[in-house]
Amino acid sequence: MATTIITVTRKSQSFVVPSSSSAPVPTTAETLELSAIDRVPGLRHTVRSLHVFRRKADDDAAAAAAAASRRPAEVIRAALSRALVDYRPFAGRFVGSLYAGEACVECTDEGAWFVEAVADCSLDDVNGLDDYPLMVSEEELLPAPEEGVDPTSIPMMMQVTEFSCGGFVVGLVAVHTLADGLGAAQFINAISEFARGLDKLTIAPVWARSLIPNPPKLPPAPPPSFESFGFKHFVMDVTFDNIAHVKTEYFQANGQYCSTFDVAIAKVWQARTRAIKYNPDVKVHVCFFANTRHLLTRELPNDGGFYGNCFYPVTVTATAEGVASGGLHDVIRMIRDGKARLPLEFAKWSMGDVKVDPYQLTFKHNVLFVSDWTRLGFFEVDYGWGVPNHIIPFTYADYMAVAVLGAPPTTVKNKGTRIMTQCVEEKHLMEFKDEMKAFF
């Protein structure tokens, strides 16, 4: 069978600046200081993702005709311009040195990079981008700046690719320095509210970086090494019923509840450790980034809106034998114990009562990094054509073992949790898959 060649054509690309019709354009470039967490050098990287919106069947013919007359790229571009009035830093540029702790955001109003593209096929022709590897390269669906421009110098880039079926894909590239996952999703939801015709945002943005703890600087650690491990991609969907079964067993055995996150990550960590067969006494680690907004309720505004980085890296450590040989409940308990230490560890860091900077990450073979996309707010984004059917995060790098929690596409029956991993080499991949599938 001949392979179908899909063509994506970028029709236009330019910077979108804050709308002058929504508010007066400031005449000066205000400089805003970043928080101690924003300034972590390791956050100066881009987070990339694809958000797939299939065309919804409209019962009302008039509504369907009205929707057809509005092109997603035009609507989203105009809404982005309006949102940048409230979220002016996303139209600015980074200045100063992160490594010297002097980085700031200068509100230059130069704009966010926006690309409008079309694909010569329907989303059905590429199976809704449900499968990996994708039938359309992510590089064709993600925005890229002009040649010679550092993508980490532009806080936000968007590409809207319209398909012949009326569906579209939004490709997002955001620099982590300006916002964590919750903050980036808050900004994208603001764009979607203006796209739907709201005159005022549901949540007003709050800068307030000075309210984040700013403990004394620790002596700089040696720069991290970035060894390429060649980890392979693997995706698995787990039904609600399977997760619920483990939760019930854990409660009956321990008298405590556990979350979907606890179950999924414990299984990945155990399956990876078993497949790789580390020496029994080797220390293995799992690291996840816990939201700490609830620990700063006295500092941050009660009605929310803070969109900066506000998280703490929680690291759980055990011997390879302890993770591989124990039951899944034992590994879940390790994860839960790590989460329980969060308030104390964050408080100690806030007061400068640490000898090693917890934000100085180490990228080694025996460290599994975890990212949870299920509760950030991206799945609630609606530009006027309904919420996304599928979100594909690309939080992978050759030097990191990674597991990402998301949701299966809406076309998948028995929806549950999608576990996306890139954490074992080819020689361990089959055994890792078998370990995962044997349990679920």
Side-chain angles (χ1 to χ4, degrees):
M1 180 183 294
T3 302
T4 302
I5 298 177
I6 307 298
T7 302
V8 174
T9 304
R10 291 184 170 97
K11 297 172 60 180
S12 68
Q13 46 190 7
S14 62
F15 286 108
V16 173
V17 301
S19 171
S20 59
S21 62
S22 301
V25 177
T27 57
T28 58
E30 181 184 10
T31 300
L32 300 174
E33 290 191 6
L34 293 165
S35 75
I37 303 177
D38 294 333
R39 295 195 302 268
V40 170
L43 293 185
R44 190 63 176 269
H45 69 270
T46 58
V47 179
R48 311 184 307 158
S49 57
L50 296 177
H51 306 247
V52 182
F53 295 81
R54 285 179 177 267
R55 182 66 177 270
K56 304 294 190 299
D58 253 311
D59 296 328
D60 187 306
S69 67
R70 301 166 66 242
R71 292 187 49 243
E74 292 179 347
V75 171
I76 295 173
R77 181 188 177 95
L80 170 62
S81 181
R82 287 196 61 185
L84 289 173
V85 175
D86 297 274
Y87 288 86
R88 197 180 170 205
F90 278 104
R93 296 294 181 266
F94 298 110
V95 295
S97 168
L98 277 172
Y99 290 93
E102 301 164 349
C104 300
V105 175
E106 192 170 336
C107 297
T108 60
D109 296 324
E110 292 174 72
W113 186 245
F114 187 87
V115 180
E116 182 179 343
V118 294
D120 64 349
C121 66
S122 70
L123 279 169
D124 284 337
D125 292 333
V126 293
N127 198 30
L129 302 180
D130 290 358
D131 301 319
Y132 195 92
L134 306 179
M135 294 179 68
V136 180
S137 167
E138 62 262 30
E139 301 303 330
E140 293 193 70
L141 300 172
L142 289 164
E146 294 176 317
E147 189 174 350
V149 176
D150 177 5
T152 65
S153 68
I154 305 170
M156 174 65 69
M157 299 189 290
M158 297 182 73
Q159 176 172 320
V160 179
T161 305
E162 299 172 345
F163 286 73
S164 60
C165 56
F168 59 98
V169 174
V170 177
L172 296 178
V173 178
V175 179
H176 210 317
T177 297
L178 190 57
D180 58 13
L182 286 164
Q186 180 181 310
F187 174 56
I188 299 303
N189 270 289
I191 298 172
S192 75
E193 289 186 341
F194 285 134
R196 296 199 310 272
L198 273 68
D199 291 325
K200 184 179 179 181
L201 295 177
T202 303
I203 300 175
V206 174
W207 182 257
R209 306 300 164 109
S210 61
L211 301 181
I212 297 296
N214 187 24
K217 295 178 183 178
L218 292 167
S225 59
F226 299 99
E227 180 184 353
S228 178
F229 295 115
F231 294 133
K232 298 299 179 181
H233 197 87
F234 174 64
V235 176
M236 182 174 179
D237 292 334
V238 187
T239 66
F240 283 130
D241 290 344
N242 283 336
I243 293 288
H245 178 71
V246 180
K247 290 180 178 180
T248 300
E249 284 188 337
Y250 187 84
F251 180 79
Q252 291 173 343
N254 299 279
Q256 295 180 334
Y257 292 100
C258 64
S259 68
T260 297
F261 176 92
D262 302 333
V263 174
I265 296 313
K267 185 56 192 175
V268 173
W269 193 25
Q270 186 177 69
R272 178 179 193 265
T273 305
R274 287 177 174 176
I276 295 174
K277 295 182 172 60
Y278 290 108
N279 288 331
D281 57 346
V282 166
K283 294 291 179 66
V284 292
H285 317 269
V286 62
C287 179
F288 49 91
F289 307 98
N291 173 37
T292 54
R293 286 165 174 78
H294 63 291
L295 302 178
L296 295 171
T297 52
R298 292 184 180 179
E299 293 84 3
L300 296 178
N302 293 330
D303 51 357
F306 180 79
Y307 61 96
N309 287 287
C310 193
F311 68 89
Y312 185 86
V314 175
T315 299
V316 180
T317 300
T319 63
E321 182 178 30
V323 175
S325 302
L328 184 65
H329 289 184
D330 298 324
V331 185
I332 291 174
R333 192 177 302 110
M334 295 179 195
I335 302 292
R336 288 179 51 78
D337 287 347
K339 291 165 70 174
R341 293 195 302 269
L342 171 64
L344 177 60
E345 290 187 3
F346 183 68
K348 291 178 70 174
W349 170 79
S350 301
M351 295 182 292
D353 186 18
V354 294
K355 295 181 179 179
V356 178
D357 186 353
Y359 292 90
Q360 182 74 34
L361 303 179
T362 301
F363 304 108
K364 293 185 177 180
H365 194 284
N366 60 338
V367 183
L368 175 67
F369 290 92
V370 176
S371 180
D372 184 357
W373 280 61
T374 60
R375 298 186 180 183
L376 298 179
F378 287 114
F379 288 96
E380 292 72 48
V381 171
D382 179 1
Y383 297 104
W385 291 269
V387 296
N389 299 87
H390 188 25
I391 294 178
I392 311 162
F394 297 99
T395 56
Y396 310 108
D398 287 341
Y399 54 84
M400 297 173 67
V402 176
V404 181
L405 295 192
T410 55
T411 52
V412 173
K413 294 181 180 179
N414 247 344
K415 270 193 74 175
T417 296
R418 170 159 287 191
I419 304 174
M420 297 161 276
T421 65
Q422 192 166 301
C423 67
V424 297
E425 294 117 312
E426 183 73 46
K427 61 184 177 182
H428 300 129
L429 184 58
M430 189 56 66
E431 189 163 351
F432 175 69
K433 290 181 178 180
D434 291 342
E435 284 285 347
M436 293 292 292
K437 293 178 179 177
F439 179 76
F440 291 122

